[in-house]
């Protein structure tokens, strides 16, 4: 038997054994056999599927249900003892199923999570015992076990978290994940692996109810809980206070800022307490500073934060390295917002124009187009800066008064400089780039360029667009053949008549 066929046969054998057990209670030893096979580690995926079949069937058939009457002991009879035995096996097996989420194989991890969630769903719809007046419930202790494995401090569970995201589309799982989350938040100093898993999962959680109501552990028509956004927001504020106390490495620092901007900031009760953190992050440099800049902008715009040196910080971020990060589009977008006011000093705006023009000399082709259009928009907002367009004949690279190394944009002498850099880009080898740079030679348009289209453009897009312009002009043969596709002068014709 080949190695490829062996797992299929084991799976078939397990399925047959499972059906034998479910068909007759006298075959209870078969359940022990299946569990032992699973514990041995052989063919984990087939064992997981088999155990899911066994216990989901037992739950649906109410084979493990025990009716508990308050203030009365459970009746001791063979039937109840058998049901209690099944429940003890079920609880032990569930722990082992959850443990497979630490398996080295991503396939086994995903199957372990899927099996655990399917059993969770089945137990919620067919409870092991009566729960108040509701027919359904979410087994919180089992959901907590699953989340504890996802928030591992030993391995990165990014793929497992993406898989768990599928279950967050169910309102009951989303809501009770929020309720459990504070109890799983480390109060001391966790390691980087745990922090990254925690932040990745937090990024997937939304505080409001899903647009489409779906329930995993019950019926959508019979709600056994109320999705209270006040509870989820309270949980978010509670855990974020702990997250801020952790020691962060650069990767977790960046991920924390991403989560803060996309999920957390708008729901914090006292967002101004983040001011010092965001200002410290601005000094780190690279993507972290850029993400912090977006947070500062939100604080200024929404919460009236006063930060007088914000333009100096923004100016310092325009460095050659920014063109090689995934967040460069965000920098241009935020800069456009910060510089959108027509009441800014012209010497300040001129400094940004000159710095971008200088960087355009070494920027990738797609970014040069963004810079040209951005500069054009800034001049449209500040018509007095047209003087930069008129000085190109008198001020060149040799006598440019602009001081590139000056940290304060107001002191950079940009207002008395020119845009000779843009003029030199008119000789760029790529036609679309040279065309974009020629805006300084023509009257400016009445409306601004739409930067959003430029921000989505990549080098591959430019290449494809240029190829489409000239693909019809490519000549494959300069002489039209009379017969076969061999032109005149081919040595092959000396030996063959075609």
């Amino acid at each position: 038997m080949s190695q490829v066929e062996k797992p299929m046969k084991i799976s078939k054998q397990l399925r047959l054994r499972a059906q034998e057990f479910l068909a007759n209670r006298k075959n209870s030893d078969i359940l022990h056999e299946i569990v032992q096979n699973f514990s041995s580690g052989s063919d984990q995926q087939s064992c997981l599927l088999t155990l899911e079949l066994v216990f989901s069937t037992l739950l649906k058939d109410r084979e493990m249900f025990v009716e508990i009457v308050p203030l009365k002991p459970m009746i001791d009879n063979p039937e109840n003892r058998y049901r209690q035995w099944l429940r003890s096996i079920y609880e032990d097996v569930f722990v082992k199923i959850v443990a497979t989420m630490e398996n080295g194989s991503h396939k086994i991890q995903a199957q372990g999570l899927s099996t655990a969630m399917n059993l969770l769903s089945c137990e919620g719809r067919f409870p092991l015992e009566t729960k108040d007046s509701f027919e359904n419930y979410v087994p919180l202790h089992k959901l907590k076990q699953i989340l504890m494995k996802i928030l591992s401090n030993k391995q990165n569970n990014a793929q497992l978290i993406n898989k768990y995201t599928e279950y967050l589309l169910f309102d009951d799982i989303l809501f009770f994940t929020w309720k459990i989350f504070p109890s799983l938040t480390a109060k001391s100093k966790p390691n980087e692996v745990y922090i990254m898993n925690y932040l990745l999962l937090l990024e997937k959680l939304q505080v409001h109810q899903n647009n489409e109501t779906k329930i995993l552990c019950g019926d959508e028509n019979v709600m056994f809980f109320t999705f209270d956004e006040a509870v989820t927001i309270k949980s978010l504020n509670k855990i974020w206070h702990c997250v801020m106390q952790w020691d962060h490495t650069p990767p977790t620092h960046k991920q924390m800022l991403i989560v803060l901007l996309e999920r957390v900031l708008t729901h914090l009760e006292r967002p101004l307490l983040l001011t010092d953190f965001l200002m410290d992050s601005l000094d780190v440099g690279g993507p972290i500073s850029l993400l912090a800049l977006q947070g500062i902008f939100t604080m200024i715009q929404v919460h009236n934060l006063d930060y007088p040196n914000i333009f100096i910080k923004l100016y310092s971020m325009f460095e050659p390295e920014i063109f090689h990060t995934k967040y460069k589009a965000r920098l241009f977008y935020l800069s456009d917002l910060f510089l959108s006011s027509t009441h800014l000093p012209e010497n300040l705006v001129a400094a940004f124009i000159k710095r971008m023009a200088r960087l355009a000399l070494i920027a990738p082709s797609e970014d040069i187009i963004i810079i040209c259009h951005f500069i054009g928009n800034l001049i449209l907002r500040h018509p007095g800066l047209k003087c930069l367009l008129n000085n190109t004949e008198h001020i060149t690279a040799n006598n440019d008064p602009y001081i590139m190394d000056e940290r304060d944009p107001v002191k950079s002498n940009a207002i008395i400089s020119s845009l000779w850099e843009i003029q030199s880009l008119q000789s760029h080898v790529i036609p679309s780039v040279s065309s974009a740079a020629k805006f300084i030679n023509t009257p400016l348009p009445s409306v601004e360029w739409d930067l959003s289209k430029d921000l989505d453009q990549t080098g591959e897009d430019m290449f494809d667009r240029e190829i489409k312009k000239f693909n019809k002009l490519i000549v494959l043969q300069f002489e039209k053949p009379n017969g076969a596709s061999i032109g005149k002068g081919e040595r092959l014709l000396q030996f063959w008549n075609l």
Side-chain angles (χ1 to χ4, degrees):
M1 182 183 299
S2 67
Q3 292 294 324
V4 177
E5 296 175 347
K6 189 174 181 180
M8 295 177 63
K9 187 170 183 180
I10 292 176
S11 177
K12 186 176 180 180
Q13 289 176 345
L14 287 172
R15 181 174 291 275
L16 290 174
R17 298 294 283 169
Q19 291 172 349
E20 290 178 19
F21 164 72
L22 294 171
N24 193 336
R25 287 188 176 186
K26 294 181 179 180
N27 296 328
S28 58
D29 290 343
I30 296 178
L31 181 59
H32 274 299
E33 177 187 326
I34 296 173
V35 173
Q36 287 176 358
N37 193 17
F38 176 54
S39 301
S40 67
S42 62
D43 195 12
Q44 293 273 286
Q45 188 168 13
S46 296
C47 289
L48 285 168
L49 293 170
T50 305
L51 290 170
E52 181 182 335
L53 169 66
V54 169
F55 287 107
S56 60
T57 303
L58 291 174
L59 286 166
K60 291 175 183 177
D61 294 341
R62 297 301 180 99
E63 289 290 327
M64 296 187 290
F65 177 79
V66 177
E67 185 174 359
I68 298 178
V69 180
L71 303 178
K72 288 187 178 181
M74 186 180 65
I75 301 174
D76 186 14
N77 55 35
E79 177 68 20
N80 283 342
R81 284 197 296 270
Y82 178 75
R83 291 174 182 268
Q84 287 289 355
W85 174 76
L86 286 178
R87 287 180 63 168
S88 65
I89 296 292
Y90 171 59
E91 296 295 339
D92 292 341
V93 166
F94 191 86
V95 173
K96 294 178 181 179
I97 290 173
V98 172
T100 60
M101 293 163 60
E102 294 180 332
N103 193 284
S105 169
H106 293 303
K107 188 176 181 180
I108 299 299
Q109 289 179 12
Q111 184 58 56
L113 175 60
S114 177
T115 297
M117 293 302 294
N118 288 340
L119 290 176
L120 184 85
S121 170
C122 201
E123 183 180 338
R125 288 182 284 115
F126 305 98
L128 295 173
E129 56 191 47
T130 305
K131 290 289 183 180
D132 300 326
S133 60
F134 298 109
E135 296 182 358
N136 309 117
Y137 76 108
V138 175
L140 294 182
H141 65 290
K142 288 186 171 62
L143 182 60
K144 188 172 183 178
Q145 291 180 47
I146 294 171
L147 289 172
M148 287 175 66
K149 291 299 180 183
I150 291 176
L151 299 177
S152 170
N153 60 359
K154 300 176 182 177
Q155 62 183 17
N156 186 294
N157 282 335
Q159 293 187 358
L160 205 58
I161 291 169
N162 288 333
K163 177 70 176 177
Y164 187 75
T165 306
E166 300 174 9
Y167 299 100
L168 294 176
L169 298 175
F170 297 93
D171 288 341
D172 52 344
I173 299 301
L174 175 62
F175 179 74
F176 287 104
T177 297
W178 271 118
K179 290 202 70 173
I180 295 173
F181 223 47
S183 64
L184 300 177
T185 306
K187 304 301 186 291
S188 57
K189 297 181 179 180
N191 62 13
E192 181 180 0
V193 176
Y194 170 87
I195 296 176
M196 187 59 72
N197 287 331
Y198 190 96
L199 293 173
L200 287 174
L201 181 56
L202 183 58
E203 185 183 6
K204 306 296 184 182
L205 296 175
Q206 60 182 33
V207 297
H208 53 80
Q209 195 170 358
N210 291 300
N211 295 329
E212 182 182 355
T213 301
K214 293 195 295 184
I215 303 297
L216 183 68
C217 298
D219 187 359
E220 288 85 353
N221 300 321
V222 183
M223 292 293 288
F224 59 91
F225 75 102
T226 301
F227 195 104
D228 189 353
E229 290 189 14
V231 174
T232 59
I233 292 175
K234 184 178 179 181
S235 297
L236 174 61
N237 280 270
K238 185 184 297 184
I239 65 177
W240 193 253
H241 177 73
C242 295
V243 172
M244 294 291 294
Q245 306 302 320
W246 294 341
D247 294 332
H248 290 277
T249 60
T252 62
H253 192 169
K254 184 175 75 172
Q255 184 63 32
M256 183 174 66
L257 283 167
I258 293 173
V259 176
L260 173 65
L261 296 174
E262 296 182 357
R263 292 292 186 190
V264 177
L265 187 56
T266 56
H267 302 291
L268 290 180
E269 296 174 352
R270 294 185 291 176
L272 289 176
L273 295 178
L274 293 172
T275 304
D276 291 339
F277 166 72
L278 291 173
M279 289 184 176
D280 291 340
S281 299
L282 276 176
D283 297 328
V284 174
I288 292 177
S289 294
L290 189 52
L291 292 167
L293 178 67
Q294 184 175 346
I296 290 289
F297 176 78
T298 303
M299 301 285 278
I300 293 173
Q301 187 181 44
V302 180
H303 304 288
N304 299 319
L305 176 68
D306 184 19
Y307 188 19
N309 295 326
I310 187 63
F311 289 103
I312 296 178
K313 286 290 185 183
L314 179 62
Y315 185 74
S316 66
M317 290 184 184
F318 281 93
E319 295 288 345
E321 294 79 13
I322 195 63
F323 298 117
H324 307 290
T325 66
K326 61 184 292 187
Y327 299 105
K328 64 180 179 182
R330 194 181 300 234
L331 175 62
F332 285 113
Y333 171 75
L334 290 173
S335 300
D336 189 35
L337 292 176
F338 273 107
L339 300 173
S340 60
S341 174
T342 57
H343 299 288
L344 293 174
E346 288 187 346
N347 56 352
L348 173 67
V349 179
F352 279 93
I353 290 176
K354 273 297 294 184
R355 194 170 187 88
M356 286 189 285
R358 189 66 61 86
L359 291 176
L361 297 175
I362 57 173
S365 302
E366 63 271 19
D367 295 326
I368 297 176
I369 296 177
I370 298 174
I371 290 173
C372 289
H373 291 168
F374 194 3
I375 290 175
N377 289 347
L378 292 176
I379 295 176
L380 281 173
R381 296 169 194 170
H382 303 272
L385 295 179
K386 290 181 180 179
C387 62
L388 297 174
L389 306 178
N390 302 327
N391 290 341
T392 53
E393 295 182 1
H394 305 289
I395 299 177
T396 62
N398 296 325
N399 60 353
D400 192 348
Y402 172 67
I403 306 173
M404 182 73 174
D405 297 330
E406 174 59 51
R407 295 178 60 86
D408 188 348
V410 177
K411 300 178 181 179
S412 63
N413 296 334
I415 194 68
I416 58 175
S417 182
S418 71
L419 292 180
W420 60 265
E421 299 93 344
I422 303 299
Q423 189 176 41
S424 65
L425 288 172
Q426 294 176 2
S427 303
H428 199 280
V429 66
I430 299 179
S432 57
V433 175
S434 61
S435 176
K438 291 178 182 178
F439 80 94
I440 63 174
N441 298 336
T442 59
L444 294 175
S446 57
V447 294
E448 295 185 1
W449 282 275
D450 185 4
L451 291 183
S452 61
K453 297 179 180 179
D454 298 329
L455 294 177
D456 295 331
Q457 183 174 246
T458 63
E460 290 78 6
D461 297 332
M462 291 184 62
F463 180 82
D464 293 340
R465 190 163 54 250
E466 295 296 335
I467 287 295
K468 289 179 181 178
K469 291 180 182 178
F470 301 103
N471 61 352
K472 295 181 180 179
L473 303 179
I474 297 175
V475 179
L476 301 179
Q477 186 163 323
F478 60 90
E479 291 184 357
K480 185 177 180 180
N482 296 324
S485 58
I486 298 179
K488 296 179 181 179
E490 290 286 345
R491 294 180 61 85
L492 186 64
L493 295 176
Q494 298 178 12
F495 309 101
W496 298 88
N497 293 323
L498 300 176

